[in-house]
Amino acid sequence: MEVLLLDPLVPEALAWLQERHEVTFHPELADDPFELRKHTYKSRALVLPPHVVVTSEFLDFAPKLEVVARMQISSDNTDLDACARRNVRVLQARSATVRSNAEYLLYGLLMLYRRGMVSALLGRPISHVRMGRELSGSTVGLLGLAPVAHTLAPMLRSLGVRVLGYDPAVHYAADIWDKLKVEPVTLQDLLGHSDAISLQMVYASRFRGWINERMLNNCKPGQLWVGVSRSALFDAEALAMALCDGRIDACMLDGANPQFAAEGTPLHGIPNLHLTPRLGSHTREAKLRASWYLAHRIHETLSPGEARGDPRSSDFSVLDGPDFQETTSDPQAVSPSQWSSVMNRA
C-alpha cells in the first residue's frame, strides 16, 4: 500500500488523495503495535495520531517509508534525527490549529474570569454565584510568542485588554513586539503586573520544569493561567503550591500529559486546576485545514513530478513555516474544500 491512515482525513481530502494514491484506513492499528509493524512494512506514507511514537526501532520495520504525517504538531512523539538519517519526511500541520488554539485560550480566559457562570447554569441563586470580572481593562501576559500568540494578541486588544509579553528566545527590541502591539517586559514584570497569563511557549528539553517555585513567587496574587504548551514546562509541586496558597486563583491547561495530575502526584485533586484533552485543536476548521495540508504534502512527496503539473494542487509551502499567520477566518482561503458539505455532515 502507498498511504496508511491511522488518523482520518476529512472526506474531501481523503477522496482527493485516493484519486492519486492507494490509501488504506486502519485506525485500530494505533493500539496494536505488532499489526502496525506488519502494515508499515509496505507503506510509503503514514498518517499517525499523537500517541503513536516513531522511533529508530519503528523505522526498522518501514523500509519503504518516505513520509510520517501528523494532524497536530508535537516535539516528543517522533525521532526527528532518525527520520532525517533515513530520508523520511516528517509532516506536521503547523498552522492548522493556530486559530483554534488561540480561540481556546480566549475562551479559557473568559471562563476563568466568569467562573460563576457554571454555578448559574446549574440553577444556583445569584447570592451563591461567584462575582465575575471583565476582560476589558485588565492586563494579560503572553508567556511565549509561538504563532498562537500572534493570533491571540489582536483578539485581546480588540476587547480592551492591555497585552504584555515575554519570550526567553525573543529579544525585547525585536520588531515582532511592535508588529503585534504587545509590550515586551521582563519575566518578573510579566508575572507581577498581569491579571492573567496565557502560556503558549514552544517547548524544548532545557525548559523542563522551567516554571518553578522561584518564578511563581513573582505572580500577582489571584492570577489566572491558561495554556496550550507542554505540561513539562511546569514544576508540578511548585504549581500545586501556587494554586493552594492564592498566588494562582485558577489554571486551565489543554493537552497535559496524562500523568501530570494523576493519583499520587502533587496536583491530584486540586479543584482550581482544570485540564482538557487537546480541545484547543478539536474543531472542524482545524481538522479541515490539517487534512488538506497533509493530503497535498503527501502527494507532493510521493509524486513530485505529477504534483508540479497538477493545476488543482496548491502550493502549501507557506503553511509549513513557523512564521505563518492566518489573516482570515475563511478555511477555503488556505485549503480548498467543499466547506458547506463538511458542515452539513458534521
Side-chain angles (χ1 to χ4, degrees):
M1 70 190 77
E2 281 196 295
V3 182
L4 175 60
L5 300 182
L6 277 65
D7 205 1
L9 306 178
V10 297
E12 292 88 350
L14 175 60
W16 185 91
L17 193 60
Q18 286 175 326
E19 290 178 2
R20 294 156 176 79
H21 302 278
E22 179 189 353
V23 181
T24 307
F25 180 46
H26 285 298
E28 71 281 0
L29 296 180
D31 299 309
D32 189 340
F34 180 75
E35 285 297 319
L36 176 57
R37 288 179 176 182
K38 288 168 54 177
H39 284 74
T40 299
Y41 189 79
K42 296 182 180 180
S43 300
R44 297 179 63 197
L46 299 174
V47 179
L48 302 175
H51 69 278
V52 177
V53 179
V54 175
T55 62
S56 180
E57 181 186 8
F58 180 96
L59 296 174
D60 289 339
F61 294 87
K64 297 183 179 181
L65 193 63
E66 298 177 42
V67 180
V68 170
R70 298 190 191 266
M71 293 282 185
Q72 300 173 350
I73 185 170
S74 179
S75 59
D76 63 344
N77 56 13
T78 306
D79 187 332
L80 299 178
D81 291 335
C83 289
R85 288 194 299 270
R86 299 172 190 239
N87 294 318
V88 174
R89 187 179 188 185
V90 178
L91 298 177
Q92 299 185 82
R94 295 172 184 251
S95 67
T97 61
V98 167
R99 182 167 296 279
S100 59
N101 275 319
E103 290 190 5
Y104 172 92
L105 291 170
L106 179 59
Y107 159 78
L109 289 168
L110 290 168
M111 190 187 79
L112 293 184
Y113 270 59
R114 298 287 185 95
R115 270 176 294 161
M117 185 72 72
V118 176
S119 298
L121 292 173
L122 292 174
R124 295 171 185 167
I126 190 67
S127 59
H128 296 170
V129 172
R130 176 171 175 161
M131 182 74 72
R133 57 174 302 188
E134 299 170 4
L135 260 177
S136 180
S138 71
T139 300
V140 173
L142 302 181
L143 185 48
L145 273 193
V148 175
H150 300 191
T151 301
L152 178 62
M155 292 179 177
L156 293 172
R157 292 200 320 275
S158 71
L159 293 173
V161 175
R162 179 190 179 197
V163 185
L164 308 180
Y166 173 81
D167 190 307
V170 181
H171 194 272
Y172 72 92
D175 292 340
I176 188 63
W177 300 111
D178 286 335
K179 184 177 181 180
L180 296 177
K181 295 182 173 58
V182 172
E183 301 175 48
V185 295
T186 65
L187 179 57
Q188 184 174 350
D189 284 343
L190 184 87
L191 295 173
H193 294 97
S194 298
D195 299 294
I197 297 292
S198 176
L199 176 65
Q200 55 284 312
M201 265 190 61
V202 176
Y203 178 79
S205 58
R206 66 181 180 277
F207 290 121
R208 186 174 186 84
W210 182 64
I211 303 175
N212 55 22
E213 180 70 11
R214 182 179 178 182
M215 180 189 296
L216 295 178
N217 280 336
N218 295 305
C219 288
K220 182 178 180 179
Q223 199 167 69
L224 302 171
W225 280 61
V226 295
V228 292
S229 294
R230 290 268 302 276
S231 54
L233 285 168
F234 288 94
D235 177 316
E237 187 172 351
L239 178 59
M241 292 178 62
L243 286 165
C244 293
D245 65 19
R247 281 174 288 167
I248 297 179
D249 189 39
C251 179
M252 181 175 171
L253 302 176
D254 192 42
N257 186 292
Q259 298 304 311
F260 185 58
E263 188 173 353
T265 65
L267 290 166
H268 180 68
I270 294 181
N272 50 342
L273 174 64
H274 310 284
L275 304 179
T276 56
R278 296 187 184 275
L279 290 183
S281 57
H282 195 57
T283 68
R284 295 186 182 100
E285 292 87 347
K287 182 78 170 181
L288 182 70
R289 289 189 289 264
S291 295
W292 275 110
Y293 172 76
L294 293 185
H296 279 263
R297 284 305 207 205
I298 289 170
H299 176 56
E300 172 191 86
T301 305
L302 300 185
S303 303
E306 182 182 339
R308 284 194 294 270
D310 190 342
R312 292 177 292 174
S313 181
S314 302
D315 179 10
F316 277 51
S317 58
V318 66
L319 301 180
D320 205 22
D323 297 326
F324 171 77
Q325 298 177 49
E326 292 186 80
T327 57
T328 174
S329 59
D330 179 9
Q332 297 188 71
V334 294
S335 50
S337 176
Q338 299 171 359
W339 172 239
S340 58
S341 64
V342 175
M343 290 293 290
N344 291 335
R345 283 197 293 271

